[in-house]
């Protein structure tokens, strides 16, 4: 079957704006209604004036001019009907034109918020994301659209601000090991006759700086990977993942005299095994690192069910890590989830890490449609709770 040839671009009809379509709709509806009313009134008027007289109104005797008066009366009524119909049509055209102009004005008034939203969308950029429409008026669909647009701008503004902070912090963190490497190399090369021990010391400094840079890059890659759509989803148990992570931090905990209290009940779930292992390891490493000597770290896994939770209905796998430590301000706990944040300091020594541990845990949890909650303990320290839905397979 042959398709009809497409019209040249110059012959295509221009697209009508919403304001024009609303105006034409108003005018068409008024025209249809007015035409129906016009014919109905004309029919009623015609029927009234041409209705035959009642028998009791007909005279018993006719004068010689009776037929002449009847004919003249018919002519008058016909002329009156014609004039009525003509004048009614002229008035209808006038009212249709007036209604079209009024509809054009009303449509413009009604669509003014959309024009404001369009102008704001065209101006939207990193320098103007702080602007808000703040539409006023009744709580109708246009007001809801404006509020939704403002909420979107606020989310974008927050995301861009976080991205700028992330880039600045990442640049600083990557610059530090490079600066250490450059300094160690230049100091050694500046000596006229460096000894073997000095070359070895420089090599150790470069190796430590390289390891730090490599760890930071790996963490950034994990953070970026966890923010993408989940792939390689498999069945596993959060208790088994946690037990393997505990084996890796057990030696450091013993060296610092920490006590590990564990209660690992089965908590089956579906997810990306690599990301989950990294998240659990980061959470436990963070707890061991910031627990004072001879303190206690408590680790619990279990399956929980909260039917009243609309965001995560059904059975879920839960991991709770609680560690001793100094008192924390609950109002500042959200900052711990920001990249490169290390407690009261944003940049410390290399031994403190890159400050991406909890950021990675939060990103992995979000990618699995779960939730990470930080709670300040009354006697000091922190409790981190990870809740993950049992199923995380992509739809379809």
């Amino acid at each position: 079957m042959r398709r009809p040839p497409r019209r040249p671009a110059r012959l295509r009809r221009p697209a009508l704006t919403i304001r024009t379509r609303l105006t034409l709709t108003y005018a068409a509806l008024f025209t249809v209604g007015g035409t129906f009313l016009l014919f109905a009134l004309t029919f009623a008027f015609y029927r009234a004036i041409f209705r035959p007289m009642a028998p009791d109104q007909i005279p018993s005797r006719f004068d010689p001019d009776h037929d002449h008066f009847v004919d003249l009366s018919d002519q008058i009524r016909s002329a009156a009907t014609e004039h009525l119909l003509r004048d009614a049509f002229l008035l209808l055209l006038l009212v249709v034109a007036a209604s079209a102009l009024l509809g054009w004005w009303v449509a413009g008034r009604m669509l003014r918020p959309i024009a404001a939203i369009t102008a704001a969308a065209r101006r939207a950029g990193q320098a103007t994301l702080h602007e808000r429409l703040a539409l006023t008026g009744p709580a109708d669909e246009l007001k809801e659209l404006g509020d939704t647009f403002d909420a979107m701008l606020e989310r974008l503004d927050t995301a861009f601000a976080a991205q700028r902070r992330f880039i600045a912090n990442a640049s600083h963190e990557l610059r530090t090991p490079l600066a250490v490497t450059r300094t160690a190399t230049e100091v050694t090369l500046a000596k006229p006759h460096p000894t073997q021990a000095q070359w070895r010391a420089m090599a150790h400094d470069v190796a430590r700086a390289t390891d730090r840079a490599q760890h930071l890059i790996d963490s950034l890659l994990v953070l970026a990977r966890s923010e993408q759509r989940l792939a390689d989803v498999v069945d596993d148990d959060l208790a088994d993942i946690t037990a393997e992570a505990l084996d890796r931090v057990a030696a450091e905990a013993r060296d610092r005299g920490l006590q590990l209290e564990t209660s690992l009940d089965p908590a089956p779930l579906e997810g990306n095994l690599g990301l989950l292992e990294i998240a659990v390891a980061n959470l436990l490493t963070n707890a061991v690192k910031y627990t004072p000597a001879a303190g206690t770290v408590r680790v619990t896994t279990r399956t929980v069910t909260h039917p009243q939770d609309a965001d995560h209905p059904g059975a879920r796998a839960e991991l709770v890590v609680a560690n001793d430590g100094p008192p924390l301000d609950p109002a500042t706990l959200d900052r711990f989830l920001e990249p490169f944040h290390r407690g009261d300091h944003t940049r410390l020594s290399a031994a403190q890490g890159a400050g991406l541990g909890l950021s990675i845990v939060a990103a992995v949890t979000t990618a699995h449609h779960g939730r990470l909650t930080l709670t300040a303990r009354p006697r000091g320290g922190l409790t981190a709770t990870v809740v993950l839905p049992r199923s995380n397979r992509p739809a379809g």
Side-chain angles (χ1 to χ4, degrees), residues 200-280:
R200 285 183 174 277
M202 182 202 72
H204 284 302
D205 291 340
V206 172
R208 284 196 297 269
T210 303
D211 288 341
R212 181 183 180 188
Q214 183 64 44
H215 175 70
L216 177 61
I217 293 174
D218 291 341
S219 298
L220 292 174
L221 290 176
V222 171
L223 188 61
R225 179 186 170 197
S226 63
E227 293 176 349
Q228 299 175 357
R229 183 175 180 179
L230 283 181
D232 302 327
V233 177
V234 297
D235 295 325
D236 213 297
D237 196 313
L238 188 57
D240 296 338
I241 298 174
T242 304
E244 294 178 2
L246 283 170
D247 292 338
R248 290 193 288 271
V249 300
E252 181 181 356
R254 285 194 302 268
D255 293 342
R256 300 187 54 208
L258 303 182
Q259 182 178 357
L260 293 178
E261 298 181 358
T262 62
S263 176
L264 305 182
D265 295 334
L269 80 166
E270 297 174 350
N272 184 289
L273 183 58
L275 291 178
L276 290 174
E277 289 177 345
I278 293 174
V280 174

Side-chain angles (χ1 to χ4, degrees), residues 74-365:
D74 291 341
Q75 293 178 10
I76 293 174
R77 285 187 292 187
S78 298
T81 304
E82 292 177 2
H83 282 287
L84 174 64
L85 190 59
R86 182 186 62 193
D87 294 343
F89 268 116
L90 292 176
L91 289 174
L92 177 63
L93 293 177
L94 180 62
V95 173
V96 167
S99 65
L101 293 176
L102 183 61
W104 177 264
W105 180 79
V106 171
R109 295 278 297 180
M110 293 177 60
L111 297 177
R112 186 176 297 175
I114 295 183
I117 295 174
T118 303
R122 289 173 178 170
R123 293 194 311 269
Q126 293 194 36
T128 59
L129 289 177
H130 63 281
E131 298 180 1
R132 299 292 180 269
L133 294 174
L135 295 180
T136 59
D140 54 6
E141 292 80 2
L142 294 179
K143 179 70 163 54
E144 183 179 359
L145 177 61
D147 293 342
T148 303
F149 189 82
D150 283 345
M152 182 191 68
L153 289 178
E154 185 172 356
R155 290 194 299 270
L156 288 175
D157 193 15
T158 303
F160 274 105
Q163 185 185 50
R164 287 191 293 268
R165 291 195 304 270
F166 181 84
I167 293 174
N169 291 329
S171 300
H172 181 90
E173 295 289 341
L174 288 172
R175 191 183 298 114
T176 300
L178 294 177
V180 171
T181 301
R182 183 184 181 90
T183 301
T185 305
E186 290 178 348
V187 168
T188 304
L189 293 177
K191 297 178 179 180
H193 302 288
T195 64
Q196 188 72 14
Q198 291 173 337
W199 283 112
R200 285 183 174 277
M202 182 202 72
H204 284 302
D205 291 340
V206 172
R208 284 196 297 269
T210 303
D211 288 341
R212 181 183 180 188
Q214 183 64 44
H215 175 70
L216 177 61
I217 293 174
D218 291 341
S219 298
L220 292 174
L221 290 176
V222 171
L223 188 61
R225 179 186 170 197
S226 63
E227 293 176 349
Q228 299 175 357
R229 183 175 180 179
L230 283 181
D232 302 327
V233 177
V234 297
D235 295 325
D236 213 297
D237 196 313
L238 188 57
D240 296 338
I241 298 174
T242 304
E244 294 178 2
L246 283 170
D247 292 338
R248 290 193 288 271
V249 300
E252 181 181 356
R254 285 194 302 268
D255 293 342
R256 300 187 54 208
L258 303 182
Q259 182 178 357
L260 293 178
E261 298 181 358
T262 62
S263 176
L264 305 182
D265 295 334
L269 80 166
E270 297 174 350
N272 184 289
L273 183 58
L275 291 178
L276 290 174
E277 289 177 345
I278 293 174
V280 174
N282 284 351
L283 195 59
L284 294 178
T285 301
N286 187 79
V288 171
K289 182 186 302 181
Y290 290 99
T291 300
T296 303
V297 177
R298 300 170 182 82
V299 182
T300 304
T301 61
R302 59 176 181 168
T303 298
V304 296
T305 303
H306 291 289
Q308 68 274 15
D309 191 344
D311 295 333
H312 304 87
R316 295 167 291 167
E318 183 182 76
L319 167 63
V320 180
V321 179
N323 63 283
D324 296 337
L328 299 173
D329 184 4
T332 63
L333 292 184
D334 289 341
R335 296 175 54 195
F336 286 15
L337 303 180
E338 296 180 2
F340 306 104
H341 187 83
R342 306 182 184 96
D344 294 333
H345 305 279
T346 55
R347 299 183 180 96
L348 300 177
S349 64
Q352 292 283 36
L356 291 171
L358 289 180
S359 300
I360 291 176
V361 176
V364 172
T365 304

